Amino acid sequence: MKGIQNKMVKAILFLAVCFMAAGILSWDSPLLVQASGRPVSFESCLIIGDQVVCELEASYVPSSDDGMYYLYSNEVFQDGTTGNIVASGMVGKEATITFPLQYNTPQSNLSRKFLVAVKQSGQMVQVSNEHYITNPEVLAGFTTTPITAGIKGILPDGDITNGELQELGIGQVVYNMLLDEICVSADAPGATLFAYNGQNYYFNSPRLKNYDSTVKYLNEHGIKVTMVLLNCGTGEYTRHLVHPKAIGGECPGYALNVEDEIAVNHLKAIGAFLGQRYSGALGCGQVDNWIIGNEVNARTSWWYTNSNSLDFNVGIYTKAFRIFYNELKGMNANVMLYNSLDQEWNRKSNPGSFLSRDYLDKFNYYILREGNIDWGL
């Protein structure tokens, strides 16, 4: 017993309970979801079969040159009418617009955001907020039943096979997974190939096998596994995953790059690969919970950028969260995804951090505005 206490980096009571944005996270917040003066709103944006079906509602019918709504599909780094028009429909107080999902193709819409525009005086004018698909789980080839375990949890640093976890009555284990370690180039020895959205991606086979054996051992002993995805900025093949405003910082964790096509496509593939591999159905073990980043409000400590703008930092985190949410759940319907904040709820001891409550309010605002999903804290 004493040995494991000395070897642990930290012990936690890890309660894996989903704080639903529509439920528990419903405190009085000054950040209300508003239409930003845009008359058209998405009532839903759902995958039905191999199509995406968007239900629209307008507070008033916007004027247009040709009486048509145009629906744009944008990557997360594109704003306004800069993406591709994927469908159109007649303007009206209500409208239904449908277009192909094109899953697992270069044109996949799974993790893109959508907006509606009309043509006014020959120019495309955005008349809605952005919105994401909110039911990626309907695609999932795996619907693994989550492991039922107690709330007592720990982040181990040492031998997990000596029986001490069982002696302590541990029901939950949290591990860090470094993107720097698992992503490699095509010529890496024994690299694991993953073809996704028309491109090939490669993963570190020896490192993955270590994770596999750990996760499987814990599963076999009835312990629920939570994995924290970290971007340490040290990997030769993952430098492009560091956000441009995080380059040059000195920090154990960096904001993910959601600003260009190469990085965003890589993040999509990572999410899909991990959701599939750790679905519990491929002999690699089952990860039930994924935490995107660590203490992400701690800008100078864990989710580094050189910007002190709360809106900017939450905005890029929310984009990364959306990508992983849709890609992970698009493979395994029952995984849960979590935001990680520190204990600085309403006081600031670190000048390089944002208050947790402020960060959470802003995150919740974006999630509600762009399509509510079952995220956790």
Side-chain angles (χ1 to χ4, degrees):
M1 180 76 73
K2 184 177 181 180
I4 195 167
Q5 292 172 337
N6 291 334
K7 293 175 183 176
M8 296 302 171
V9 173
K10 62 179 179 180
I12 58 172
L13 288 178
F14 185 79
L15 179 55
V17 175
C18 182
F19 289 180
M20 301 300 180
I24 297 176
L25 297 179
S26 59
W27 59 80
D28 294 332
S29 169
L31 296 167
L32 301 178
V33 180
Q34 299 175 348
S36 302
R38 294 168 178 153
V40 179
S41 61
F42 284 81
E43 293 301 296
S44 63
C45 188
L46 302 173
I47 299 169
I48 300 179
D50 61 356
Q51 301 291 302
V52 181
V53 180
C54 295
E55 299 289 346
L56 309 177
E57 187 173 294
S59 56
Y60 63 88
V61 178
S63 62
S64 67
D65 296 348
D66 55 7
M68 300 293 291
Y69 286 137
Y70 294 92
L71 195 143
Y72 279 79
S73 173
N74 285 6
E75 296 288 3
V76 296
F77 52 83
Q78 295 175 310
D79 294 313
T81 56
T82 57
N84 298 318
I85 297 174
V86 291
S88 61
M90 297 293 294
V91 300
K93 291 277 287 184
E94 296 180 348
T96 301
I97 298 182
T98 301
F99 54 95
L101 176 63
Q102 301 192 82
Y103 179 60
N104 199 9
T105 74
Q107 293 77 41
S108 174
N109 286 305
L110 177 59
S111 298
R112 290 179 176 173
K113 60 182 180 180
F114 312 106
L115 62 90
V116 178
V118 295
K119 190 179 294 184
Q120 296 178 348
S121 301
Q123 301 293 318
M124 286 296 186
V125 176
Q126 182 176 346
V127 293
S128 77
N129 289 327
E130 294 81 8
H131 204 285
Y132 291 84
I133 288 168
T134 58
N135 68 333
E137 63 275 5
V138 302
L139 291 175
F142 308 103
T143 53
T144 310
T145 301
I147 293 173
T148 301
I151 67 173
K152 190 175 184 181
I154 204 162
L155 192 159
D157 181 22
D159 184 10
I160 64 169
T161 64
N162 59 11
E164 291 181 338
L165 289 179
Q166 290 80 7
E167 186 180 352
L168 286 170
I170 296 299
Q172 311 262 350
V173 161
V174 59
Y175 267 101
N176 295 327
M177 178 178 281
L178 310 184
L179 301 186
D180 314 66
E181 293 182 349
I182 66 170
C183 297
V184 294
S185 62
D187 57 2
T192 296
L193 168 66
F194 182 67
Y196 192 63
N197 287 347
Q199 297 185 51
N200 292 334
Y201 298 91
Y202 298 89
F203 294 88
N204 186 331
S205 298
R207 192 72 186 96
L208 288 171
K209 288 179 180 177
N210 288 340
Y211 281 114
D212 295 351
S213 61
T214 297
V215 174
K216 286 191 292 184
Y217 175 84
L218 294 169
N219 293 162
E220 290 165 0
H221 289 81
I223 297 174
K224 188 186 214 59
V225 178
T226 295
M227 203 68 77
V228 184
L229 291 179
L230 298 176
N231 181 30
C232 296
T234 58
E236 180 180 354
Y237 191 61
T238 53
R239 291 174 184 170
H240 65 288
L241 297 182
V242 176
H243 194 279
K245 286 192 173 293
I247 294 173
E250 295 184 4
C251 190
Y254 293 84
L256 288 166
N257 184 4
V258 290
E259 302 299 327
D260 67 66
E261 186 174 12
I262 293 175
V264 165
N265 286 341
H266 200 174
L267 293 176
K268 292 177 183 179
I270 292 169
F273 174 78
L274 294 176
Q276 180 186 81
R277 186 177 185 91
Y278 295 107
S279 63
L282 300 183
C284 302
Q286 177 176 325
V287 175
D288 289 327
N289 304 317
W290 296 90
I291 300 175
I292 311 305
N294 178 61
E295 298 183 356
V296 294
N297 64 300
R299 179 182 62 82
T300 57
S301 301
W302 279 107
W303 184 261
Y304 178 78
T305 75
N306 61 20
S307 170
N308 59 12
S309 164
L310 175 65
D311 192 73
F312 173 81
N313 282 272
V314 177
I316 63 173
Y317 177 73
T318 306
K319 291 175 180 179
F321 193 94
R322 284 281 187 182
I323 290 172
F324 278 106
Y325 185 94
N326 280 17
E327 298 296 344
L328 282 162
K329 290 186 78 71
M331 283 292 180
N332 184 2
N334 290 331
V335 294
M336 292 297 301
L337 278 83
Y338 294 84
N339 182 336
S340 169
L341 302 174
D342 67 16
Q343 75 280 9
E344 301 285 326
W345 181 249
N346 207 30
R347 67 176 178 85
K348 184 186 292 190
S349 60
N350 179 1
S353 296
F354 301 105
L355 292 178
S356 293
R357 174 160 184 157
D358 292 347
Y359 199 100
L360 194 58
D361 274 341
K362 181 69 77 169
F363 178 79
N364 190 42
Y365 164 76
Y366 275 122
I367 292 291
L368 290 175
R369 171 174 158 160
E370 297 173 347
N372 198 17
I373 50 178
D374 292 339
W375 58 277
L377 177 64

